[in-house]
Short mmCIF file of all heavy atoms in Angstrom, two decimals:
data_model
loop_
_atom_site.label_atom_id
_atom_site.label_comp_id
_atom_site.label_asym_id
_atom_site.label_seq_id
_atom_site.Cartn_x
_atom_site.Cartn_y
_atom_site.Cartn_z
N ALA A 160 -30.64 -3.25 -13.95
CA ALA A 160 -29.60 -3.89 -13.00
C ALA A 160 -30.12 -3.77 -11.63
O ALA A 160 -30.23 -2.72 -10.97
CB ALA A 160 -28.28 -3.09 -13.06
N ARG A 161 -30.57 -4.90 -11.10
CA ARG A 161 -31.05 -4.93 -9.71
C ARG A 161 -30.00 -5.53 -8.72
O ARG A 161 -29.32 -6.35 -9.13
CB ARG A 161 -32.30 -5.89 -9.73
CG ARG A 161 -33.38 -5.34 -10.76
CD ARG A 161 -34.47 -6.52 -11.00
NE ARG A 161 -35.37 -6.56 -9.76
CZ ARG A 161 -35.69 -7.73 -9.27
NH1 ARG A 161 -35.23 -8.90 -9.76
NH2 ARG A 161 -36.57 -7.85 -8.28
N PRO A 162 -29.95 -4.88 -7.57
CA PRO A 162 -29.03 -5.28 -6.62
C PRO A 162 -29.02 -6.91 -6.48
O PRO A 162 -27.91 -7.40 -6.27
CB PRO A 162 -29.47 -4.61 -5.41
CG PRO A 162 -29.98 -3.32 -5.91
CD PRO A 162 -30.74 -3.74 -7.17
N VAL A 163 -30.17 -7.42 -6.47
CA VAL A 163 -30.32 -8.98 -6.22
C VAL A 163 -29.50 -9.70 -7.25
O VAL A 163 -28.83 -10.75 -6.97
CB VAL A 163 -31.68 -9.39 -6.03
CG1 VAL A 163 -32.40 -9.31 -7.46
CG2 VAL A 163 -31.79 -10.88 -5.66
N ASP A 164 -29.50 -9.27 -8.54
CA ASP A 164 -28.82 -9.82 -9.62
C ASP A 164 -27.34 -9.65 -9.56
O ASP A 164 -26.52 -10.46 -9.70
CB ASP A 164 -29.43 -9.39 -11.00
CG ASP A 164 -30.87 -9.92 -11.11
OD1 ASP A 164 -31.13 -11.03 -10.59
OD2 ASP A 164 -31.61 -9.21 -11.78
N ILE A 165 -26.99 -8.40 -9.24
CA ILE A 165 -25.57 -8.07 -8.95
C ILE A 165 -24.94 -8.88 -8.03
O ILE A 165 -23.84 -9.49 -8.09
CB ILE A 165 -25.38 -6.56 -8.63
CG1 ILE A 165 -26.02 -5.69 -9.74
CG2 ILE A 165 -24.02 -6.18 -8.23
CD1 ILE A 165 -26.04 -4.15 -9.24
N ALA A 166 -25.63 -9.11 -6.93
CA ALA A 166 -25.14 -9.90 -5.69
C ALA A 166 -25.01 -11.43 -6.18
O ALA A 166 -23.95 -11.93 -5.96
CB ALA A 166 -26.00 -9.92 -4.59
N ALA A 167 -25.92 -11.88 -6.93
CA ALA A 167 -25.96 -13.28 -7.43
C ALA A 167 -24.63 -13.47 -8.35
O ALA A 167 -23.99 -14.45 -8.21
CB ALA A 167 -27.14 -13.65 -8.04
N GLN A 168 -24.54 -12.60 -9.24
CA GLN A 168 -23.47 -12.72 -10.24
C GLN A 168 -22.17 -12.56 -9.74
O GLN A 168 -21.14 -13.19 -10.01
CB GLN A 168 -23.56 -11.70 -11.43
CG GLN A 168 -24.94 -11.81 -12.03
CD GLN A 168 -24.84 -12.49 -13.41
OE1 GLN A 168 -23.84 -12.39 -14.16
NE2 GLN A 168 -25.99 -13.19 -13.84
N LEU A 169 -21.99 -11.73 -8.64
CA LEU A 169 -20.63 -11.52 -7.98
C LEU A 169 -20.40 -12.54 -6.93
O LEU A 169 -19.30 -12.75 -6.51
CB LEU A 169 -20.59 -10.13 -7.34
CG LEU A 169 -20.52 -8.91 -8.26
CD1 LEU A 169 -20.56 -7.57 -7.50
CD2 LEU A 169 -19.35 -8.99 -9.15
N GLY A 170 -21.47 -13.21 -6.50
CA GLY A 170 -21.26 -14.21 -5.48
C GLY A 170 -21.10 -13.58 -4.02
O GLY A 170 -20.31 -14.14 -3.24
N VAL A 171 -21.80 -12.39 -3.80
CA VAL A 171 -21.62 -11.79 -2.55
C VAL A 171 -23.10 -11.50 -1.95
O VAL A 171 -24.02 -11.76 -2.62
CB VAL A 171 -20.91 -10.43 -2.51
CG1 VAL A 171 -19.40 -10.67 -2.95
CG2 VAL A 171 -21.51 -9.40 -3.34
N ARG A 172 -23.19 -11.18 -0.79
CA ARG A 172 -24.52 -10.95 -0.15
C ARG A 172 -25.09 -9.57 -0.37
O ARG A 172 -24.25 -8.68 -0.65
CB ARG A 172 -24.36 -11.20 1.41
CG ARG A 172 -24.05 -12.53 1.84
CD ARG A 172 -24.99 -13.52 1.49
NE ARG A 172 -24.72 -14.76 2.01
CZ ARG A 172 -25.54 -15.98 2.06
NH1 ARG A 172 -26.77 -15.76 1.58
NH2 ARG A 172 -25.16 -17.01 2.60
N ALA A 173 -26.40 -9.45 -0.25
CA ALA A 173 -26.99 -8.23 -0.61
C ALA A 173 -26.44 -6.89 0.04
O ALA A 173 -26.20 -5.86 -0.56
CB ALA A 173 -28.50 -8.30 -0.28
N PRO A 174 -26.12 -6.89 1.39
CA PRO A 174 -25.63 -5.81 2.07
C PRO A 174 -24.23 -5.21 1.47
O PRO A 174 -23.95 -4.15 1.50
CB PRO A 174 -25.52 -6.21 3.44
CG PRO A 174 -26.42 -7.28 3.66
CD PRO A 174 -26.40 -7.97 2.41
N THR A 175 -23.51 -6.34 1.00
CA THR A 175 -22.31 -6.01 0.42
C THR A 175 -22.35 -5.07 -0.80
O THR A 175 -21.74 -4.06 -1.10
CB THR A 175 -21.41 -7.20 0.05
OG1 THR A 175 -21.27 -8.03 1.18
CG2 THR A 175 -20.12 -6.92 -0.58
N VAL A 176 -23.52 -5.44 -1.60
CA VAL A 176 -23.84 -4.76 -2.83
C VAL A 176 -24.30 -3.26 -2.43
O VAL A 176 -23.92 -2.33 -3.05
CB VAL A 176 -24.83 -5.46 -3.66
CG1 VAL A 176 -25.31 -4.58 -4.81
CG2 VAL A 176 -24.15 -6.81 -4.26
N THR A 177 -25.10 -3.26 -1.54
CA THR A 177 -25.71 -1.93 -1.04
C THR A 177 -24.55 -1.08 -0.73
O THR A 177 -24.51 0.23 -1.19
CB THR A 177 -26.52 -2.13 0.23
OG1 THR A 177 -27.71 -2.88 -0.07
CG2 THR A 177 -27.13 -0.66 0.69
N LYS A 178 -23.58 -1.45 0.13
CA LYS A 178 -22.57 -0.63 0.45
C LYS A 178 -21.61 -0.25 -0.83
O LYS A 178 -21.31 0.92 -0.86
CB LYS A 178 -21.64 -1.33 1.39
CG LYS A 178 -21.45 -0.57 2.73
CD LYS A 178 -20.49 -1.32 3.76
CE LYS A 178 -21.08 -1.40 5.14
NZ LYS A 178 -20.37 -2.16 6.04
N ALA A 179 -21.29 -1.19 -1.64
CA ALA A 179 -20.50 -0.80 -2.74
C ALA A 179 -21.22 0.10 -3.69
O ALA A 179 -20.62 0.95 -4.23
CB ALA A 179 -20.28 -2.22 -3.64
N LEU A 180 -22.56 -0.05 -3.79
CA LEU A 180 -23.23 0.93 -4.71
C LEU A 180 -23.23 2.24 -4.07
O LEU A 180 -23.16 3.21 -5.02
CB LEU A 180 -24.80 0.44 -4.96
CG LEU A 180 -24.92 -0.84 -5.74
CD1 LEU A 180 -26.34 -1.19 -5.78
CD2 LEU A 180 -24.25 -0.79 -7.03
N ALA A 181 -23.23 2.51 -2.86
CA ALA A 181 -23.18 3.78 -2.27
C ALA A 181 -21.69 4.34 -2.67
O ALA A 181 -21.64 5.45 -2.99
CB ALA A 181 -23.17 3.52 -0.77
N ARG A 182 -20.83 3.70 -2.65
CA ARG A 182 -19.41 4.11 -3.01
C ARG A 182 -19.49 4.43 -4.48
O ARG A 182 -18.90 5.55 -4.84
CB ARG A 182 -18.36 2.93 -2.65
CG ARG A 182 -16.99 3.48 -2.80
CD ARG A 182 -15.92 2.48 -2.73
NE ARG A 182 -15.06 2.46 -3.87
CZ ARG A 182 -14.28 1.50 -4.39
NH1 ARG A 182 -14.30 0.38 -3.77
NH2 ARG A 182 -13.40 1.66 -5.33
N LEU A 183 -20.01 3.70 -5.35
CA LEU A 183 -19.99 4.01 -6.73
C LEU A 183 -20.77 5.27 -7.09
O LEU A 183 -20.36 6.04 -7.94
CB LEU A 183 -20.60 2.83 -7.57
CG LEU A 183 -19.84 1.50 -7.49
CD1 LEU A 183 -20.52 0.39 -8.45
CD2 LEU A 183 -18.36 1.57 -7.93
N ALA A 184 -21.78 5.43 -6.33
CA ALA A 184 -22.68 6.58 -6.53
C ALA A 184 -21.87 7.84 -5.98
O ALA A 184 -21.75 8.95 -6.71
CB ALA A 184 -23.95 6.51 -5.71
N ARG A 185 -21.15 7.67 -4.85
CA ARG A 185 -20.29 8.70 -4.43
C ARG A 185 -19.34 9.12 -5.42
O ARG A 185 -18.92 10.28 -5.51
CB ARG A 185 -19.71 8.27 -3.09
CG ARG A 185 -18.88 9.26 -2.38
CD ARG A 185 -18.65 8.88 -0.81
NE ARG A 185 -18.73 7.49 -0.48
CZ ARG A 185 -17.68 6.66 -0.45
NH1 ARG A 185 -16.41 7.20 -0.80
NH2 ARG A 185 -17.87 5.46 -0.06
#
Side-chain angles (χ1 to χ4, degrees):
Chain A
R161 302 164 76 224
V163 66
D164 293 325
I165 297 173
Q168 302 257 332
L169 290 176
V171 299
R172 298 295 188 170
T175 302
V176 172
T177 299
K178 233 183 233 178
L180 293 179
R182 194 191 122 197
L183 297 183
R185 181 159 33 88

